[in-house]
Amino acid sequence: MEPIKKVPFTKEMKSTHTILIPTMLPIHFKILGNVLENYGYHIKILDNCGPQVIEQGLKNVHNDTCYPAQLVIGQMIDALEHCELPLDKVALLITQTGGGCRASNYIHLLRKALKKAGYEKVRKALNKCGYGDIPVISASFIKSEQSGGFSLPLTMLLQALYGVLCGDLIMTLYNQCIPYEKQQGASQQAVEESILWAEKLFCKKLLRWKEVSELMVRIIKRFDRVERSDEEKIKVGVVGEIYVKYSPLGNNNLEEFLLSEGCEVVCPGLFDFLLYCTHNSEYDCQLYGIGKAKAAVMRRVNRFLCGRKSDMIHLIGQHSSFQPPCPFESTIESAKGYIGNGVKMGEGWLLTAEMVELIQHYKVNNIVCTQPFGCLPNHICGKGVMRVIKEKNPQANIVAVDYDSSASKVNQQNRIKLMLANARLMEQQSAQPPREVKVYAEKTQPTDSGKQEKLPLAASTVDPLEEEEQLVVQNG
């Protein structure tokens, strides 16, 4: 079998090639794409969707591969099939986590799929660029694979981190506005304006935190101007594997469906995942006593990033009535008693901590845990801990929803509808006041008319969850 060729992305390609990036978070990726363009790259964020995407994934990736890999690779190949750009002027970018997650191997799966899908020999015979000749770039903090013409300088990384934090802010405020907006489209307009402000600011190569915090205040005040109703709606938390949790393509537009059911979506931000990664490097040193130099660096990075998130939380509380996210230190504490911090494959302990945090801090008892096919860590840290979460938090109403190429969207939505029906029932029952019920004895006494009448013993309070019937006390 002919080996798979690795096509490098050279420095010369930076000015001639357009880099295609699969989307995950629409708001965040627009800002991050702008950061890359600011450093001279030509970027296109892919938005193609539909059944043809997963068809390409199934056709060119082994069907035992996890569902996110099938979607990401399928979206890229589908984009190439309908690409208006010449194939010899296109490159693909994909992230590598470097951990035990299969996402670290997506880049190799992608190259193999490109060779399989591109009919390389036929295209070369026609003097055309085959898919196997397209450069694939690795975007990784740990440099799992070098790409000569693509680099992540410190200033770019800092801008990208600030971009993720701004994206989290916009997403959080949008989720708290859209279910209650009085004028349809007002929340989306605030999103678009906020992204434009962010793109203008992130055009600068040297970005100071003071400028970012001023942008955040502007964004908060813009969303605070959205007119909102005071009606109460069911809050639903969304957690799970990182791609399926956030990507509308991966979760069959879960957020849109929950909005149509009259719910408010509460979704933890992407910045927490970055903090989780830096914290894990620090915790490894405590567990195994290795990587002390790396742990020292990551400790400083983690403290710096936690400080920036705390600043954002303070700005939300100072300039609006929106509910801010939790500090990351609180997220770490939430995992205690449920799962160890050494469980760090995939989303690891963070997934468990997010569910507990939603219940205990946000008072969001209704949770959808998105679980893609082939993601074993997510099933262990998600579905595997639901029982202990419910034991310690009886009010928890959690449903695990499986996402894969063969899963029916209707079945997924029906499972969520059952969870919402249970949520509404629990809400109605908790809103009912306790009833005063008279408890009678079987002993009777004659009345003036000669009829027998039961004597009331005492009045007691009955919880509304009890059956609605009078109790009869047997008395000799």
Side-chain angles (χ1 to χ4, degrees), residues 251-323:
N251 59 34
N252 286 328
N253 295 293
L254 175 60
E255 182 177 331
E256 184 181 317
F257 171 71
L258 289 172
L259 287 172
S260 69
E261 292 292 315
C263 302
E264 176 188 340
V265 178
V266 182
C267 188
L270 179 62
F271 202 73
D272 278 359
F273 185 78
L274 303 179
L275 291 169
Y276 159 78
C277 294
T278 57
H279 173 79
N280 284 343
S281 297
E282 180 184 346
Y283 194 71
D284 277 350
C285 182
Q286 297 179 31
L287 283 177
Y288 310 115
I290 59 174
K292 293 182 179 180
K294 180 182 178 182
V297 173
M298 286 301 177
R299 187 179 298 112
R300 288 174 176 265
V301 172
N302 190 264
R303 287 178 182 174
F304 172 78
L305 296 179
C306 285
R308 292 295 179 247
K309 184 181 179 184
S310 297
D311 291 342
M312 183 190 75
I313 293 170
H314 175 72
L315 291 173
I316 294 174
Q318 184 180 2
H319 296 281
S320 73
S321 58
F322 294 113
Q323 183 178 25

Side-chain angles (χ1 to χ4, degrees), residues 268-468:
L270 179 62
F271 202 73
D272 278 359
F273 185 78
L274 303 179
L275 291 169
Y276 159 78
C277 294
T278 57
H279 173 79
N280 284 343
S281 297
E282 180 184 346
Y283 194 71
D284 277 350
C285 182
Q286 297 179 31
L287 283 177
Y288 310 115
I290 59 174
K292 293 182 179 180
K294 180 182 178 182
V297 173
M298 286 301 177
R299 187 179 298 112
R300 288 174 176 265
V301 172
N302 190 264
R303 287 178 182 174
F304 172 78
L305 296 179
C306 285
R308 292 295 179 247
K309 184 181 179 184
S310 297
D311 291 342
M312 183 190 75
I313 293 170
H314 175 72
L315 291 173
I316 294 174
Q318 184 180 2
H319 296 281
S320 73
S321 58
F322 294 113
Q323 183 178 25
C326 289
F328 188 68
E329 295 83 356
S330 171
T331 306
I332 297 172
E333 289 296 318
S334 296
K336 291 183 178 178
Y338 296 90
I339 195 170
N341 281 17
V343 183
K344 56 186 182 60
M345 293 295 106
E347 288 67 36
W349 62 264
L350 179 65
L351 172 53
T352 305
E354 285 178 344
M355 287 194 283
V356 176
E357 196 171 62
L358 282 168
I359 296 167
Q360 296 183 352
H361 175 79
Y362 294 97
K363 306 304 178 186
V364 177
N365 299 323
N366 313 299
I367 299 173
V368 176
C369 184
T370 58
Q371 303 205 286
F373 168 78
C375 185
L376 183 60
N378 181 72
H379 281 72
I380 293 170
C381 301
K383 189 180 291 184
V385 297
M386 285 182 186
R387 180 176 177 180
V388 68
I389 290 176
K390 290 179 179 179
E391 286 174 353
K392 295 186 177 184
N393 304 274
Q395 74 277 24
N397 182 27
I398 310 174
V399 61
V401 181
D402 294 321
Y403 290 89
D404 64 73
S405 56
S406 61
S408 165
K409 182 178 179 180
V410 174
N411 288 343
Q412 292 165 351
Q413 292 181 349
N414 283 341
R415 283 184 61 80
I416 298 169
K417 284 182 177 181
L418 284 172
M419 184 271 291
L420 293 176
N422 191 38
R424 294 186 180 99
L425 180 63
M426 292 169 67
E427 199 173 70
Q428 289 174 2
Q429 291 173 342
S430 62
Q432 291 178 9
R435 297 178 296 106
E436 188 177 87
V437 179
K438 288 187 176 181
V439 182
Y440 290 93
E442 285 191 348
K443 188 180 288 185
T444 61
Q445 69 175 8
T447 62
D448 296 337
S449 60
K451 295 181 179 179
Q452 298 291 321
E453 182 182 42
K454 289 183 179 180
L455 292 175
L457 273 180
S460 62
T461 301
V462 178
D463 189 276
L465 292 176
E466 302 280 347
E467 294 181 356
E468 295 188 359

Side-chain angles (χ1 to χ4, degrees), residues 121-227:
K121 293 180 180 179
V122 177
R123 291 176 183 271
K124 283 187 175 180
L126 298 173
N127 294 319
K128 292 184 178 181
C129 173
Y131 290 176
D133 297 314
I134 296 173
V136 179
I137 304 167
S138 167
S140 174
F141 295 109
I142 62 168
K143 298 184 179 179
S144 300
E145 184 175 305
Q146 300 290 338
S147 298
F150 184 84
S151 60
L152 297 171
L154 187 60
T155 52
M156 184 199 287
L157 284 176
L158 188 60
Q159 283 199 18
L161 290 169
Y162 287 162
V164 171
L165 196 57
C166 287
D168 281 354
L169 175 65
I170 297 171
M171 180 182 73
T172 299
L173 301 183
Y174 172 76
N175 286 339
Q176 294 185 43
C177 280
I178 189 167
Y180 309 101
E181 62 181 10
K182 290 184 177 180
Q183 182 181 354
Q184 190 174 1
S187 301
Q188 184 60 39
Q189 187 177 354
V191 169
E192 292 169 3
E193 290 179 16
S194 299
I195 291 175
L196 285 175
W197 297 337
E199 288 177 343
K200 287 180 182 178
L201 178 62
F202 284 90
C203 284
K204 300 174 67 174
K205 292 221 174 155
L206 184 60
L207 196 59
R208 293 181 174 86
W209 174 249
K210 182 180 178 183
E211 297 171 298
V212 178
S213 59
E214 288 172 353
L215 169 66
M216 287 183 170
V217 171
R218 190 178 181 188
I219 291 171
I220 293 166
K221 290 182 176 179
R222 175 62 185 87
F223 276 95
D224 203 36
R225 292 201 302 271
V226 176
E227 293 186 13

